[in-house]
């Protein structure tokens, strides 16, 4: 063979050999990098933490029934006095209490149903507590039977009268 052809074949062979080494080097690095991905964790989504509430909103709703409209407003006023006195004796401040307007339903004025009710008027009123002293309010909740002994008929478990605990921090 001629030396020019031999030199060309040697250059081509050296190029192929060098290319194989470079390809092997990059392939080894790719395999190592691929295996490193198995040791890492990528997390997306929501995280939750529990915190103590720093505000409590507690509506106390009570109900009265009567056939006399004036009497029912007097009963509601008496209940408001009993509830606010009970809450203030338990350590809540007056500015933490809000007395809502009474809601009176005249059952005879309703369009549907029979009018054979024992009481014509049913009224309810709510005293709402908005306090940052959550622990004290929880203690007061445990002593609500005292209001029942004083004659206050407390209604509860309505969707709009549920206690709310808020975290504002």
């Amino acid at each position: 063979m001629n030396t020019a052809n031999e030199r060309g074949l040697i250059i081509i062979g050296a190029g192929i050999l060098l290319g194989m080494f470079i390809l092997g080097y990059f392939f080894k690095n790719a395999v190592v990098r691929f295996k490193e991905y198995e040791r890492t964790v990528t997390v997306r989504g929501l995280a939750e933490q529990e915190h103590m509430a720093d505000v409590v909103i507690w509506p106390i709703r009570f109900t009265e029934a009567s056939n006399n409209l004036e009497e029912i407003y007097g009963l509601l006023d008496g209940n408001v006095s009993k509830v606010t006195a009970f809450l203030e004796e338990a350590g809540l401040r007056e500015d933490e209490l809000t007395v809502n307007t009474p809601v009176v339903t005249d059952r005879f004025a309703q369009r549907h149903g029979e009018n054979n009710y024992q009481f014509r008027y049913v009224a309810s009123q709510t005293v709402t507590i908005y306090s940052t002293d959550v622990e004290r309010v929880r203690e007061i909740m445990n002593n609500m039977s005292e209001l029942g002994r004083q004659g206050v008929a407390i209604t509860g478990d309505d969707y709009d009268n549920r206690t709310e605990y808020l975290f504002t921090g």
Side-chain angles (χ1 to χ4, degrees):
M1 265 207 237
N2 118 18
T3 56
N5 280 344
E6 285 178 14
R7 193 180 281 163
L9 289 174
I10 291 175
I11 291 175
I12 290 176
I16 291 175
L17 188 62
L18 182 64
M20 294 290 277
F21 279 120
I22 292 173
L23 181 65
Y25 174 77
F26 285 121
F27 184 72
K28 177 194 153 244
N29 285 344
V31 169
V32 168
R33 184 174 288 166
F34 181 74
K35 283 295 199 183
E36 285 176 352
Y37 284 135
E38 291 179 3
R39 288 183 247 153
T40 62
V41 176
T42 303
V43 178
R44 290 184 185 175
L46 299 174
E48 291 185 14
Q49 289 182 339
E50 288 191 22
H51 294 279
M52 288 296 294
D54 54 1
V55 173
V56 61
I57 302 172
W58 177 32
I60 302 173
R61 185 176 186 182
F62 43 90
T63 305
E64 289 292 342
S66 176
N67 287 320
N68 184 329
L69 193 57
E70 293 173 6
E71 179 185 358
I72 206 163
Y73 277 105
L75 292 170
L76 289 176
D77 288 342
N79 285 345
V80 166
S81 299
K82 290 175 187 176
V83 170
T84 54
F86 169 76
L87 294 172
E88 288 174 0
E89 282 178 22
L92 293 178
R93 298 184 317 270
E94 186 178 335
D95 64 332
E96 294 175 315
L97 309 177
T98 304
V99 178
N100 298 5
T101 58
V103 176
V104 179
T105 303
D106 184 355
R107 290 181 175 178
F108 290 175
Q110 293 179 350
R111 293 184 187 171
H112 58 281
E114 298 179 23
N115 290 335
N116 58 356
Y117 298 109
Q118 181 180 357
F119 297 108
R120 177 176 180 176
Y121 300 106
V122 175
S124 63
Q125 193 164 12
T126 305
V127 174
T128 305
I129 293 101
Y130 183 93
S131 177
T132 55
D133 194 353
V134 177
E135 290 302 317
R136 180 178 306 245
V137 172
R138 289 182 57 90
E139 289 173 14
I140 295 170
M141 286 178 180
N142 293 330
N143 299 323
M144 286 301 292
S145 60
E146 178 63 34
L147 281 175
R149 285 188 213 102
Q150 294 179 22
V152 180
I154 298 172
T155 57
D157 292 336
D158 292 341
Y159 180 73
D160 14 328
N161 290 318
R162 296 209 182 253
T163 305
E164 293 183 51
Y165 296 95
L166 305 174
F167 176 71
T168 60

